[in-house]
Amino acid sequence: MKNEYRGTRIPQSWYNLRADLSEPLPPPLGADGHPLAAKEWEPLFTPSLVEQEYTCERSVPIPEEVLERLSAWRPTPLRRAKRFEEALGTKARIYYKDESVSPAGSHKATTAVAQAYYNKIAGVKRLVTETGAGQWGSALSLACGFFGLQCLVYMVRNSYEKKPLRRILMETWGGRCLPSPTDGTEAGRQALKRDPNTPGSLGIAIAEAVERVVSDGSGESRYALGSVLNHVLLHQSLIGLEAMEQIREGGESEPDTLIGCVGGGSNFAGLTFPFLNPGRGVGRPRVLAVEPAGCPTLTRGPFVYDHGDSAGLTPLLPMHSLGRLFIPNPIHAGGLRYHGMAPLVSHVLRQGMGEAWAVPQSESFKAALLFARTEGIVPAPETGHALAGVVREALSTEGKGRVILFTLSGHGLLDLQGYADYMGGRLEDVPIKEEELLKSVQGVSTFEDALGRAAKAVQPYLPLLP
Ligand SMILES: *Cc1c(COP(=O)(O)O)cnc(C)c1O
């Protein structure tokens, strides 16, 4: 009996949910509060990516060369998790889109290839980025290698030292990885002056990457981001578009429930947005975003205008946020430890098109371990959160024969320490106190305030650096 569906080919266009929103997405704002013009992103991103950031076209064609590169592992398989269903004793039918088959082991390789391609044809020589646990840095190193670009990754020093395998992977693909903070940037030097032994942070690493790009006089460097922004979510729409065809191959008409884990929101949006297209003329599925209780951006963070980085260098984005200075407890799902959320994901949930759940990491490892032991694939700790959502949903609807579809966003073969800690009983769930959250969102301007100021602002937004 067949449990795997391959589809016929990669869709030739990306799907853009912005074309079908009844309420338009609020604009990004400059530091002084004025709505940011597309041009103002150009010191950081190449024009074709900026255009994708702003476009409201429903369908964006995928360049031939990108399709050709992606065809090495796309379409990714859709599988039915039969043994997992049996172990849960549920009558729900559970399908997963397996993004772990990319060479980098996660969905991030898909946007990495598209971003590297557009930079290459624009004449960019070097992409600069930051990485926390190393998944994005390795995906971008892979893609830069494909297109002959240099890749420079500022990796949070703590993970650089504690997780050498992802760094080695980046170097294997030809990327250069530096432990952040470095003494090569002003932001890095200041951080080192404050504390020579600092473990680093994603905020400092972003600041270093952005500074490196903006201050590179040759104009040959650009910045790259692995989640959050509209163009990244657009690239990931392949996940849902492929799944739509494949699930029919599996004999189902439509999934009833779609589930994804959320860090910055890209794999969740990639799966769900194509199914939310009202033009399909079928009922909307139930849509669930699952986040860690240790970084509860959607469930406990207000909807505000906030910076994407902790240094406050990036434009202000309309999103759910825990405050740019929020430092989550060190949970194993490094890819979900982000204070903000994609504006489009925040918007869609605000419009009532989906809901968010927060799960403790012990629950996510429990579900991930069961999945590994029944289906074989060891899920990334991030993906474990989606699985915890799947388990809750499957058990709550037992007997109803629901069709659940989730993204297996990546494998956890380079994150086995989390499994070791879980199996050894060393995993702690530390609840976050309400006072702590209130303190961290203090000073973030409310959505209404920020928009009010935007209406009055006239100053062009230029300096991305203080
Ligand atoms: C980065 C990452 C995530 C979280 O990022 P999103 O943009 O929310 O998808 C989830 N799973 C894996 C495996 C990742 O590498």
Short mmCIF file of all heavy atoms in Angstrom, two decimals, residues 320-384:
data_model
loop_
_atom_site.label_atom_id
_atom_site.label_comp_id
_atom_site.label_asym_id
_atom_site.label_seq_id
_atom_site.Cartn_x
_atom_site.Cartn_y
_atom_site.Cartn_z
N HIS A 320 2.89 40.79 15.76
CA HIS A 320 2.89 40.39 17.16
C HIS A 320 4.34 40.38 17.62
O HIS A 320 5.22 39.91 16.90
CB HIS A 320 2.29 39.00 17.33
CG HIS A 320 0.80 39.00 17.29
ND1 HIS A 320 0.03 39.32 18.38
CD2 HIS A 320 -0.07 38.77 16.28
CE1 HIS A 320 -1.25 39.26 18.06
NE2 HIS A 320 -1.34 38.93 16.78
N SER A 321 4.58 40.91 18.81
CA SER A 321 5.96 40.94 19.29
C SER A 321 5.99 40.87 20.80
O SER A 321 5.10 41.37 21.50
CB SER A 321 6.64 42.23 18.83
OG SER A 321 7.93 42.35 19.41
N LEU A 322 7.06 40.25 21.30
CA LEU A 322 7.30 40.22 22.75
C LEU A 322 8.24 41.36 23.14
O LEU A 322 8.69 41.42 24.28
CB LEU A 322 7.90 38.87 23.15
CG LEU A 322 6.96 37.67 22.93
CD1 LEU A 322 7.72 36.36 23.05
CD2 LEU A 322 5.82 37.70 23.94
N GLY A 323 8.53 42.26 22.20
CA GLY A 323 9.47 43.35 22.46
C GLY A 323 10.84 42.94 21.97
O GLY A 323 11.28 41.82 22.20
N ARG A 324 11.52 43.87 21.27
CA ARG A 324 12.77 43.48 20.61
C ARG A 324 13.86 43.07 21.59
O ARG A 324 14.83 42.42 21.23
CB ARG A 324 13.26 44.60 19.70
CG ARG A 324 13.71 45.85 20.41
CD ARG A 324 14.04 46.94 19.42
NE ARG A 324 14.15 48.24 20.07
CZ ARG A 324 15.28 48.71 20.58
NH1 ARG A 324 16.38 48.03 20.49
NH2 ARG A 324 15.28 49.90 21.16
N LEU A 325 13.70 43.45 22.88
CA LEU A 325 14.73 43.09 23.85
C LEU A 325 14.39 41.81 24.61
O LEU A 325 15.12 41.40 25.51
CB LEU A 325 14.95 44.25 24.84
CG LEU A 325 15.47 45.53 24.18
CD1 LEU A 325 15.61 46.65 25.20
CD2 LEU A 325 16.81 45.27 23.48
N PHE A 326 13.28 41.18 24.25
CA PHE A 326 12.89 39.95 24.93
C PHE A 326 13.93 38.85 24.69
O PHE A 326 14.29 38.56 23.56
CB PHE A 326 11.52 39.47 24.44
CG PHE A 326 11.04 38.20 25.09
CD1 PHE A 326 10.58 38.23 26.40
CD2 PHE A 326 11.09 36.99 24.42
CE1 PHE A 326 10.14 37.05 27.02
CE2 PHE A 326 10.66 35.82 25.03
CZ PHE A 326 10.19 35.85 26.33
N ILE A 327 14.43 38.27 25.76
CA ILE A 327 15.39 37.17 25.63
C ILE A 327 14.73 35.90 26.15
O ILE A 327 14.57 35.73 27.36
CB ILE A 327 16.68 37.42 26.46
CG1 ILE A 327 17.22 38.83 26.18
CG2 ILE A 327 17.69 36.30 26.21
CD1 ILE A 327 18.47 38.92 25.40
N PRO A 328 14.32 35.02 25.25
CA PRO A 328 13.66 33.80 25.70
C PRO A 328 14.63 32.89 26.43
O PRO A 328 15.84 32.94 26.18
CB PRO A 328 13.18 33.14 24.40
CG PRO A 328 13.84 33.84 23.28
CD PRO A 328 14.47 35.08 23.79
N ASN A 329 14.11 32.05 27.32
CA ASN A 329 14.94 31.04 27.96
C ASN A 329 15.54 30.16 26.87
O ASN A 329 14.93 29.95 25.83
CB ASN A 329 14.10 30.18 28.91
CG ASN A 329 13.68 30.96 30.13
OD1 ASN A 329 14.45 31.74 30.68
ND2 ASN A 329 12.44 30.78 30.54
N PRO A 330 16.73 29.63 27.12
CA PRO A 330 17.36 28.80 26.09
C PRO A 330 16.62 27.49 25.89
O PRO A 330 16.89 26.52 26.58
CB PRO A 330 18.78 28.59 26.60
CG PRO A 330 18.72 28.86 28.07
CD PRO A 330 17.58 29.77 28.31
N ILE A 331 15.68 27.45 24.96
CA ILE A 331 15.02 26.19 24.62
C ILE A 331 15.75 25.55 23.44
O ILE A 331 16.50 26.22 22.74
CB ILE A 331 13.52 26.39 24.27
CG1 ILE A 331 13.36 27.39 23.13
CG2 ILE A 331 12.73 26.81 25.49
CD1 ILE A 331 11.98 27.42 22.52
N HIS A 332 15.52 24.26 23.23
CA HIS A 332 16.26 23.56 22.17
C HIS A 332 15.83 23.98 20.77
O HIS A 332 16.61 23.88 19.83
CB HIS A 332 16.14 22.05 22.35
CG HIS A 332 17.04 21.54 23.43
ND1 HIS A 332 18.40 21.48 23.27
CD2 HIS A 332 16.79 21.11 24.67
CE1 HIS A 332 18.95 21.02 24.37
NE2 HIS A 332 18.00 20.77 25.25
N ALA A 333 14.58 24.41 20.62
CA ALA A 333 14.12 24.81 19.29
C ALA A 333 14.60 26.22 18.99
O ALA A 333 13.85 27.19 19.04
CB ALA A 333 12.61 24.72 19.22
N GLY A 334 15.91 26.34 18.69
CA GLY A 334 16.52 27.65 18.48
C GLY A 334 15.82 28.47 17.40
O GLY A 334 15.73 29.68 17.48
N GLY A 335 15.30 27.77 16.38
CA GLY A 335 14.64 28.44 15.26
C GLY A 335 13.30 29.06 15.64
O GLY A 335 12.70 29.76 14.84
N LEU A 336 12.81 28.79 16.85
CA LEU A 336 11.53 29.38 17.27
C LEU A 336 11.73 30.45 18.35
O LEU A 336 10.78 30.95 18.92
CB LEU A 336 10.57 28.30 17.80
CG LEU A 336 10.28 27.11 16.88
CD1 LEU A 336 9.25 26.18 17.52
CD2 LEU A 336 9.79 27.55 15.51
N ARG A 337 13.01 30.78 18.62
CA ARG A 337 13.27 31.77 19.68
C ARG A 337 13.39 33.16 19.07
O ARG A 337 14.46 33.75 19.03
CB ARG A 337 14.57 31.42 20.40
CG ARG A 337 14.50 30.18 21.25
CD ARG A 337 15.83 29.92 21.94
NE ARG A 337 16.07 30.84 23.03
CZ ARG A 337 17.23 31.44 23.26
NH1 ARG A 337 18.25 31.26 22.47
NH2 ARG A 337 17.36 32.27 24.29
N TYR A 338 12.29 33.69 18.59
CA TYR A 338 12.33 34.99 17.95
C TYR A 338 11.25 35.87 18.56
O TYR A 338 10.12 35.41 18.73
CB TYR A 338 12.15 34.82 16.43
CG TYR A 338 12.20 36.11 15.68
CD1 TYR A 338 13.35 36.89 15.72
CD2 TYR A 338 11.11 36.57 14.96
CE1 TYR A 338 13.41 38.10 15.06
CE2 TYR A 338 11.15 37.77 14.29
CZ TYR A 338 12.31 38.55 14.34
OH TYR A 338 12.36 39.74 13.69
N HIS A 339 11.58 37.13 18.85
CA HIS A 339 10.63 37.98 19.58
C HIS A 339 9.44 38.42 18.73
O HIS A 339 8.40 38.75 19.24
CB HIS A 339 11.34 39.23 20.13
CG HIS A 339 11.76 40.18 19.04
ND1 HIS A 339 12.96 40.06 18.38
CD2 HIS A 339 11.14 41.24 18.48
CE1 HIS A 339 13.06 41.02 17.46
NE2 HIS A 339 11.96 41.75 17.51
N GLY A 340 9.63 38.44 17.38
CA GLY A 340 8.58 38.94 16.50
C GLY A 340 7.91 37.84 15.70
O GLY A 340 8.07 36.65 16.01
N MET A 341 7.17 38.23 14.67
CA MET A 341 6.44 37.28 13.84
C MET A 341 6.22 37.93 12.47
O MET A 341 6.07 39.15 12.39
CB MET A 341 5.09 36.98 14.49
CG MET A 341 4.21 35.98 13.78
SD MET A 341 5.00 34.38 13.46
CE MET A 341 5.41 33.84 15.12
N ALA A 342 6.18 37.12 11.44
CA ALA A 342 5.93 37.67 10.11
C ALA A 342 4.69 38.57 10.13
O ALA A 342 3.65 38.16 10.65
CB ALA A 342 5.72 36.54 9.11
N PRO A 343 4.79 39.80 9.57
CA PRO A 343 3.60 40.65 9.50
C PRO A 343 2.41 39.95 8.83
O PRO A 343 1.28 40.07 9.31
CB PRO A 343 4.09 41.85 8.66
CG PRO A 343 5.54 41.95 9.01
CD PRO A 343 6.01 40.51 9.14
N LEU A 344 2.67 39.20 7.77
CA LEU A 344 1.54 38.54 7.08
C LEU A 344 0.88 37.48 7.96
O LEU A 344 -0.34 37.34 7.95
CB LEU A 344 2.01 37.90 5.76
CG LEU A 344 1.87 38.76 4.50
CD1 LEU A 344 2.54 38.07 3.31
CD2 LEU A 344 0.40 39.04 4.18
N VAL A 345 1.68 36.74 8.71
CA VAL A 345 1.10 35.73 9.61
C VAL A 345 0.32 36.42 10.72
O VAL A 345 -0.81 36.04 11.05
CB VAL A 345 2.21 34.81 10.19
CG1 VAL A 345 1.67 33.94 11.31
CG2 VAL A 345 2.80 33.94 9.09
N SER A 346 0.90 37.50 11.28
CA SER A 346 0.20 38.25 12.33
C SER A 346 -1.14 38.76 11.80
O SER A 346 -2.17 38.67 12.47
CB SER A 346 1.04 39.46 12.77
OG SER A 346 2.31 39.05 13.23
N HIS A 347 -1.13 39.29 10.58
CA HIS A 347 -2.30 39.87 9.95
C HIS A 347 -3.39 38.81 9.72
O HIS A 347 -4.56 39.02 10.07
CB HIS A 347 -1.88 40.48 8.62
CG HIS A 347 -2.92 41.29 7.92
ND1 HIS A 347 -3.36 42.51 8.40
CD2 HIS A 347 -3.63 41.05 6.79
CE1 HIS A 347 -4.28 42.99 7.58
NE2 HIS A 347 -4.47 42.14 6.60
N VAL A 348 -2.99 37.69 9.17
CA VAL A 348 -3.94 36.62 8.85
C VAL A 348 -4.62 36.10 10.13
O VAL A 348 -5.83 35.86 10.16
CB VAL A 348 -3.19 35.48 8.10
CG1 VAL A 348 -3.92 34.16 8.20
CG2 VAL A 348 -2.99 35.87 6.64
N LEU A 349 -3.84 35.97 11.19
CA LEU A 349 -4.44 35.51 12.44
C LEU A 349 -5.36 36.57 13.05
O LEU A 349 -6.40 36.25 13.61
CB LEU A 349 -3.36 35.07 13.43
CG LEU A 349 -3.11 33.55 13.40
CD1 LEU A 349 -2.68 33.06 12.04
CD2 LEU A 349 -2.10 33.13 14.44
N ARG A 350 -4.97 37.83 12.90
CA ARG A 350 -5.83 38.91 13.36
C ARG A 350 -7.16 38.97 12.62
O ARG A 350 -8.17 39.39 13.15
CB ARG A 350 -5.11 40.26 13.19
CG ARG A 350 -4.50 40.79 14.46
CD ARG A 350 -3.56 41.90 14.13
NE ARG A 350 -4.22 43.11 13.65
CZ ARG A 350 -4.74 44.04 14.43
NH1 ARG A 350 -4.70 43.90 15.73
NH2 ARG A 350 -5.29 45.11 13.92
N GLN A 351 -7.11 38.56 11.35
CA GLN A 351 -8.32 38.54 10.54
C GLN A 351 -9.19 37.32 10.84
O GLN A 351 -10.19 37.09 10.18
CB GLN A 351 -7.98 38.51 9.04
CG GLN A 351 -7.09 39.64 8.56
CD GLN A 351 -7.79 40.98 8.57
OE1 GLN A 351 -8.88 41.11 8.03
NE2 GLN A 351 -7.18 41.96 9.21
N GLY A 352 -8.75 36.50 11.79
CA GLY A 352 -9.55 35.35 12.18
C GLY A 352 -9.45 34.16 11.25
O GLY A 352 -10.27 33.25 11.29
N MET A 353 -8.40 34.14 10.41
CA MET A 353 -8.28 33.02 9.47
C MET A 353 -7.51 31.84 10.06
O MET A 353 -7.26 30.85 9.37
CB MET A 353 -7.62 33.49 8.18
CG MET A 353 -8.50 34.45 7.39
SD MET A 353 -7.89 34.66 5.71
CE MET A 353 -6.93 36.13 5.87
N GLY A 354 -7.07 31.97 11.31
CA GLY A 354 -6.34 30.86 11.93
C GLY A 354 -6.20 31.13 13.40
O GLY A 354 -6.54 32.22 13.88
N GLU A 355 -5.73 30.14 14.15
CA GLU A 355 -5.49 30.39 15.57
C GLU A 355 -4.11 29.90 15.98
O GLU A 355 -3.46 29.14 15.25
CB GLU A 355 -6.58 29.77 16.43
CG GLU A 355 -6.74 28.28 16.30
CD GLU A 355 -7.91 27.76 17.15
OE1 GLU A 355 -7.74 27.64 18.36
OE2 GLU A 355 -8.97 27.47 16.57
N ALA A 356 -3.66 30.36 17.15
CA ALA A 356 -2.32 30.01 17.62
C ALA A 356 -2.41 29.26 18.95
O ALA A 356 -3.24 29.57 19.79
CB ALA A 356 -1.48 31.27 17.79
N TRP A 357 -1.54 28.27 19.10
CA TRP A 357 -1.41 27.53 20.35
C TRP A 357 0.05 27.63 20.81
O TRP A 357 0.96 27.65 19.99
CB TRP A 357 -1.71 26.04 20.14
CG TRP A 357 -3.14 25.70 19.91
CD1 TRP A 357 -4.22 26.54 19.99
CD2 TRP A 357 -3.66 24.42 19.52
NE1 TRP A 357 -5.37 25.85 19.69
CE2 TRP A 357 -5.05 24.55 19.39
CE3 TRP A 357 -3.08 23.17 19.26
CZ2 TRP A 357 -5.88 23.49 19.03
CZ3 TRP A 357 -3.90 22.12 18.90
CH2 TRP A 357 -5.28 22.27 18.79
N ALA A 358 0.25 27.64 22.12
CA ALA A 358 1.61 27.56 22.66
C ALA A 358 1.76 26.23 23.39
O ALA A 358 0.87 25.85 24.15
CB ALA A 358 1.87 28.72 23.62
N VAL A 359 2.86 25.53 23.13
CA VAL A 359 3.08 24.24 23.81
C VAL A 359 4.44 24.25 24.50
O VAL A 359 5.41 24.81 23.98
CB VAL A 359 3.00 23.03 22.83
CG1 VAL A 359 1.64 22.96 22.16
CG2 VAL A 359 4.10 23.07 21.80
N PRO A 360 4.53 23.62 25.68
CA PRO A 360 5.82 23.51 26.36
C PRO A 360 6.75 22.56 25.61
O PRO A 360 6.29 21.65 24.92
CB PRO A 360 5.47 22.94 27.74
CG PRO A 360 4.08 22.43 27.65
CD PRO A 360 3.42 23.03 26.46
N GLN A 361 8.08 22.77 25.76
CA GLN A 361 8.99 21.97 24.93
C GLN A 361 9.00 20.49 25.30
O GLN A 361 9.25 19.65 24.44
CB GLN A 361 10.39 22.56 24.89
CG GLN A 361 11.19 22.56 26.15
CD GLN A 361 12.65 22.94 25.89
OE1 GLN A 361 13.14 22.89 24.76
NE2 GLN A 361 13.37 23.31 26.94
N SER A 362 8.66 20.16 26.55
CA SER A 362 8.60 18.73 26.90
C SER A 362 7.50 18.04 26.09
O SER A 362 7.67 16.92 25.61
CB SER A 362 8.36 18.56 28.39
OG SER A 362 7.19 19.25 28.76
N GLU A 363 6.38 18.74 25.91
CA GLU A 363 5.28 18.16 25.11
C GLU A 363 5.72 17.99 23.66
O GLU A 363 5.37 17.02 22.99
CB GLU A 363 4.05 19.09 25.21
CG GLU A 363 2.81 18.49 24.56
CD GLU A 363 1.58 19.41 24.68
OE1 GLU A 363 1.53 20.25 25.62
OE2 GLU A 363 0.68 19.29 23.83
N SER A 364 6.51 18.95 23.17
CA SER A 364 6.94 18.85 21.78
C SER A 364 7.94 17.71 21.59
O SER A 364 7.89 16.99 20.60
CB SER A 364 7.49 20.19 21.28
OG SER A 364 8.82 20.35 21.67
N PHE A 365 8.85 17.52 22.54
CA PHE A 365 9.78 16.39 22.42
C PHE A 365 9.07 15.05 22.57
O PHE A 365 9.42 14.06 21.92
CB PHE A 365 10.93 16.50 23.43
CG PHE A 365 12.07 17.32 22.91
CD1 PHE A 365 12.32 18.60 23.39
CD2 PHE A 365 12.90 16.82 21.91
CE1 PHE A 365 13.37 19.36 22.89
CE2 PHE A 365 13.95 17.58 21.40
CZ PHE A 365 14.19 18.86 21.89
N LYS A 366 8.04 15.01 23.41
CA LYS A 366 7.28 13.77 23.58
C LYS A 366 6.65 13.37 22.24
O LYS A 366 6.74 12.21 21.82
CB LYS A 366 6.19 13.98 24.64
CG LYS A 366 5.44 12.73 24.99
CD LYS A 366 4.44 12.97 26.11
CE LYS A 366 3.67 11.68 26.37
NZ LYS A 366 2.45 11.92 27.13
N ALA A 367 6.03 14.34 21.58
CA ALA A 367 5.39 14.06 20.29
C ALA A 367 6.44 13.72 19.22
O ALA A 367 6.25 12.81 18.41
CB ALA A 367 4.58 15.28 19.85
N ALA A 368 7.58 14.44 19.26
CA ALA A 368 8.63 14.21 18.26
C ALA A 368 9.24 12.81 18.42
O ALA A 368 9.53 12.13 17.44
CB ALA A 368 9.72 15.27 18.39
N LEU A 369 9.41 12.39 19.67
CA LEU A 369 9.99 11.07 19.93
C LEU A 369 9.05 9.97 19.42
O LEU A 369 9.49 9.00 18.81
CB LEU A 369 10.24 10.91 21.44
CG LEU A 369 11.21 9.82 21.83
CD1 LEU A 369 12.63 10.19 21.45
CD2 LEU A 369 11.14 9.56 23.35
N LEU A 370 7.76 10.15 19.66
CA LEU A 370 6.79 9.17 19.17
C LEU A 370 6.83 9.11 17.64
O LEU A 370 6.79 8.03 17.05
CB LEU A 370 5.38 9.53 19.65
CG LEU A 370 4.29 8.54 19.21
CD1 LEU A 370 4.50 7.17 19.87
CD2 LEU A 370 2.90 9.08 19.54
N PHE A 371 6.97 10.28 17.03
CA PHE A 371 7.03 10.33 15.56
C PHE A 371 8.28 9.59 15.07
O PHE A 371 8.22 8.78 14.14
CB PHE A 371 7.02 11.78 15.08
CG PHE A 371 6.85 11.91 13.59
CD1 PHE A 371 5.59 11.90 13.02
CD2 PHE A 371 7.95 12.04 12.76
CE1 PHE A 371 5.43 12.02 11.64
CE2 PHE A 371 7.80 12.15 11.38
CZ PHE A 371 6.53 12.15 10.83
N ALA A 372 9.43 9.86 15.71
CA ALA A 372 10.68 9.21 15.31
C ALA A 372 10.56 7.69 15.42
O ALA A 372 11.03 6.95 14.56
CB ALA A 372 11.83 9.71 16.17
N ARG A 373 9.90 7.25 16.48
CA ARG A 373 9.82 5.80 16.73
C ARG A 373 8.77 5.11 15.87
O ARG A 373 8.80 3.88 15.74
CB ARG A 373 9.56 5.56 18.21
CG ARG A 373 10.78 5.91 19.03
CD ARG A 373 10.59 5.74 20.52
NE ARG A 373 11.84 6.09 21.21
CZ ARG A 373 11.99 6.08 22.52
NH1 ARG A 373 10.96 5.75 23.30
NH2 ARG A 373 13.15 6.40 23.05
N THR A 374 7.86 5.86 15.31
CA THR A 374 6.84 5.23 14.47
C THR A 374 7.11 5.45 12.98
O THR A 374 6.94 4.55 12.18
CB THR A 374 5.43 5.78 14.80
OG1 THR A 374 5.48 7.21 14.81
CG2 THR A 374 4.96 5.27 16.16
N GLU A 375 7.55 6.66 12.62
CA GLU A 375 7.73 6.98 11.20
C GLU A 375 9.18 6.95 10.77
O GLU A 375 9.48 6.98 9.57
CB GLU A 375 7.14 8.36 10.90
CG GLU A 375 5.63 8.46 11.13
CD GLU A 375 4.82 7.55 10.21
OE1 GLU A 375 5.18 7.44 9.01
OE2 GLU A 375 3.85 6.93 10.68
N GLY A 376 10.10 6.97 11.73
CA GLY A 376 11.52 6.86 11.38
C GLY A 376 12.26 8.19 11.34
O GLY A 376 13.38 8.29 11.82
N ILE A 377 11.64 9.21 10.79
CA ILE A 377 12.34 10.50 10.68
C ILE A 377 12.43 11.15 12.06
O ILE A 377 11.43 11.23 12.79
CB ILE A 377 11.57 11.45 9.73
CG1 ILE A 377 11.48 10.82 8.33
CG2 ILE A 377 12.26 12.82 9.66
CD1 ILE A 377 10.60 11.60 7.38
N VAL A 378 13.64 11.63 12.40
CA VAL A 378 13.81 12.36 13.66
C VAL A 378 13.50 13.83 13.39
O VAL A 378 14.24 14.49 12.67
CB VAL A 378 15.25 12.22 14.20
CG1 VAL A 378 15.42 13.02 15.49
CG2 VAL A 378 15.61 10.76 14.41
N PRO A 379 12.40 14.36 13.92
CA PRO A 379 12.03 15.75 13.60
C PRO A 379 12.96 16.76 14.29
O PRO A 379 13.49 16.49 15.37
CB PRO A 379 10.61 15.89 14.17
CG PRO A 379 10.15 14.50 14.48
CD PRO A 379 11.38 13.71 14.77
N ALA A 380 13.14 17.92 13.66
CA ALA A 380 13.85 19.01 14.32
C ALA A 380 13.06 19.40 15.58
O ALA A 380 11.83 19.24 15.61
CB ALA A 380 13.93 20.21 13.37
N PRO A 381 13.74 19.92 16.60
CA PRO A 381 13.01 20.34 17.80
C PRO A 381 11.93 21.38 17.48
O PRO A 381 10.88 21.40 18.13
CB PRO A 381 14.10 20.94 18.69
CG PRO A 381 15.37 20.32 18.22
CD PRO A 381 15.20 20.07 16.76
N GLU A 382 12.17 22.21 16.46
CA GLU A 382 11.15 23.18 16.03
C GLU A 382 9.91 22.43 15.56
O GLU A 382 8.78 22.72 15.97
CB GLU A 382 11.68 24.04 14.88
CG GLU A 382 12.77 25.04 15.26
CD GLU A 382 14.16 24.42 15.34
OE1 GLU A 382 14.29 23.21 15.04
OE2 GLU A 382 15.12 25.15 15.70
N THR A 383 10.13 21.45 14.69
CA THR A 383 9.03 20.66 14.12
C THR A 383 8.25 19.93 15.22
O THR A 383 7.05 19.69 15.07
CB THR A 383 9.59 19.64 13.12
OG1 THR A 383 10.49 20.32 12.23
CG2 THR A 383 8.49 18.99 12.32
N GLY A 384 8.93 19.59 16.29
CA GLY A 384 8.26 18.93 17.41
C GLY A 384 7.06 19.72 17.90
O GLY A 384 6.06 19.14 18.35
#
